[in-house]
Amino acid sequence: MAFFQPLLNHESVQELAKQDNLTTVPHQYVQDHREPTFVPNDTSPLPSIPVIDMNDLIMEGSNMDLQLKHLHSLVNHGVDESLVDQMKNEVVRFFEAPIEEKLRYKLKGGEYEGYGQTILHAQGQKIDWADRFFMITNPIHRRKPNLLPDFPPSLRITLEKYMGEVQKLGMSLLGLIGRSLDIEKEEMMKIFEDGMQSVRMTYYPPCPQPDLVVGLTPHSDAAGITILLQLNNVQGLQVNKDGLWIPVTFLPHAFVVNVGDILQHRAVVNASKERLSLAMFFNPKLEADVGPSKSLLTKTGKLPLYKTLVMEQYLKQFFSRKLNGKTFLHKMKINNQDHASSSN
Ligand SMILES: O=C(O)CCC(=O)C(=O)O
Ligand SMILES: [Fe+2]
């Protein structure tokens, strides 16, 4: 008789976590070295995450200085609360559906859109304690017909509505960021209007040994901004500040906004509670140049400090890099030799 083997289901961590007798985490999920979470004390309290009130930002003539460099909670964002609630319910329902239904969207080898995780076994990569679903949603012709267009109608319709609203919010945030950086509005719009957008839904199941795993490997998002909705009141997102992993406090009715390839973040999981999130990513158009602002360079007469890449190339390089904790931005830096050797 064979020994009892816990089901090791790479297709769904949710299914794995459902097993009553799961008391230890299979080794494929155990991180070799997980950096600890910052524990506040009397002398070092928990650094707070800045809260941005959208009402203050859009006030005509307001003297705002939008330092949207890192991560913020965004309140009074203008997205209808009942639509947000509906969206939350739909995502919960998606992950509650039988596994066979979700596997209809299973991502295939070499792809990164669909249900599941891309795991680089060859590099000994550990599996995150989460199930996720990632897809490109804009431009519309880039939508994979077997993903969003094939969703159950209530999920598809709600997601379309939600994305429409969050898109308006995202575009106004990008406009404001541009303004605060003194970048010309047309330049900002040319890059982001009808740009590349994508969404990721994530389900983090409860985990019997939460300190041994990560829900989401430390990373930074590709480019532009991310508007994140945390679906239930469970904390899990952490940001890296001066080498410390700081938990982001959950703020009801707020979005978490982070700025692209600058901010290192990860997600941790909980022993008894599941956690869900929905992220929407705003990136430049695929044909846009990603690099130092041309209008700023002209205005200031300064030399660029970073290389310029066409977005399509940028994304290719971004996704093929090894997740080793460095931001991709770091790799885009021009060093002095580059300046010296470039003839134009
Ligand atoms: O689930 C979270 O809180 C973080 C999600 C995230 O960072 C991502 O999807 O890129
Ligand atoms: Fe992220």
Side-chain angles (χ1 to χ4, degrees):
M1 224 180 101
F3 287 109
F4 170 73
Q5 279 274 327
L7 168 71
L8 225 187
N9 193 340
H10 291 232
E11 288 175 336
S12 166
V13 186
Q14 189 175 2
E15 293 300 305
L16 171 69
K18 270 186 200 162
Q19 294 179 118
D20 293 337
N21 49 8
L22 189 79
T23 50
T24 54
V25 167
H27 70 94
Q28 287 89 335
Y29 299 86
V30 175
Q31 297 287 320
D32 295 325
H33 172 66
R34 204 194 84 165
E35 290 171 6
T37 297
F38 170 75
V39 182
N41 58 36
D42 288 348
T43 46
S44 333
L46 191 68
S48 60
I49 306 297
V51 177
I52 288 198
D53 187 330
M54 199 68 188
N55 285 344
D56 294 343
L57 284 186
I58 48 184
M59 259 173 25
E60 205 60 45
S62 79
N63 209 1
M64 65 94 202
D65 176 18
L66 184 58
Q67 295 289 333
L68 209 67
K69 280 191 192 129
H70 303 292
L71 176 99
H72 297 262
S73 288
L74 185 71
V75 295
N76 290 322
H77 45 65
V79 180
D80 182 51
E81 216 49 65
S82 65
L83 176 60
V84 172
D85 286 343
Q86 228 178 321
M87 188 69 254
K88 289 181 178 177
N89 291 338
E90 289 295 339
V91 176
V92 169
R93 261 177 51 191
F94 173 83
F95 283 108
E96 274 174 355
I99 180 72
E100 300 75 40
E101 240 160 86
K102 288 174 281 191
L103 288 178
R104 283 178 43 208
Y105 311 104
K106 184 175 168 6
L107 54 78
K108 300 175 190 86
E111 290 182 359
Y112 55 90
E113 284 182 82
Y115 173 77
Q117 290 185 43
T118 315
I119 298 152
L120 307 172
H121 286 293
Q123 296 180 2
Q125 189 188 319
K126 297 299 177 127
I127 310 173
D128 288 351
W129 194 262
D131 290 337
R132 30 185 189 252
F133 186 110
F134 176 81
M135 65 183 164
I136 293 171
T137 52
N138 203 61
I140 293 185
H141 67 87
R142 293 279 298 223
R143 289 184 185 175
K144 294 244 160 85
N146 61 320
L147 300 179
L148 181 60
D150 202 30
F151 271 6
S154 63
L155 173 58
R156 180 171 48 78
I157 292 163
T158 309
L159 188 56
E160 301 250 25
K161 255 200 230 165
Y162 175 85
M163 290 191 306
E165 290 299 304
V166 177
Q167 204 166 49
K168 281 188 228 155
L169 175 66
M171 288 315 289
S172 57
L173 279 175
L174 286 163
L176 290 162
I177 293 172
R179 205 164 86 187
S180 76
L181 295 172
D182 221 14
I183 297 175
E184 287 181 2
K185 190 162 180 205
E186 296 78 69
E187 189 183 7
M188 212 61 184
M189 291 301 119
K190 225 173 86 188
I191 295 171
F192 284 100
E193 215 156 53
D194 204 26
M196 239 280 285
Q197 288 157 20
S198 50
V199 298
R200 176 152 51 227
M201 309 189 266
T202 309
Y203 176 88
Y204 304 93
C207 177
Q209 296 172 299
D211 295 336
L212 298 186
V213 303
V214 286
L216 182 58
T217 306
H219 67 288
S220 56
D221 300 337
I225 58 170
T226 305
I227 299 185
L228 177 77
L229 176 66
Q230 305 187 80
L231 267 60
N232 49 0
N233 307 356
V234 181
Q235 228 157 275
L237 178 63
Q238 302 189 334
V239 292
N240 196 296
K241 200 162 178 272
D242 308 324
L244 299 172
W245 287 105
I246 315 286
V248 175
T249 314
F250 180 84
L251 194 64
H253 307 298
F255 286 120
V256 172
V257 179
N258 76 47
V259 179
D261 187 23
I262 297 176
L263 183 86
Q264 287 278 334
H265 54 285
R266 71 178 188 184
V268 297
V269 298
N270 193 284
S272 58
K273 294 180 195 139
E274 60 185 12
R275 180 170 177 269
L276 293 100
S277 73
L278 172 65
M280 185 167 177
F281 306 96
F282 293 83
N283 296 311
K285 282 193 190 81
L286 286 170
E287 52 285 2
D289 281 342
V290 183
S293 154
K294 295 199 176 74
S295 64
L296 266 187
L297 290 178
T298 313
K299 243 185 253 175
T300 59
K302 287 191 174 152
L303 278 178
L305 299 178
Y306 293 88
K307 297 170 197 162
T308 295
L309 273 183
V310 176
M311 184 60 188
E312 181 117 44
Q313 276 319 106
Y314 179 92
L315 281 182
K316 266 198 195 121
Q317 295 195 19
F318 186 93
F319 281 111
S320 61
R321 87 211 192 283
K322 229 180 118 182
L323 279 174
N324 58 0
K326 278 233 168 88
T327 64
F328 185 65
L329 195 64
H330 201 84
K331 283 186 67 179
M332 293 279 285
K333 267 203 176 127
I334 296 178
N335 48 45
N336 291 335
Q337 292 97 302
D338 290 341
H339 266 311
S341 64
S342 76
S343 50
N344 47 357

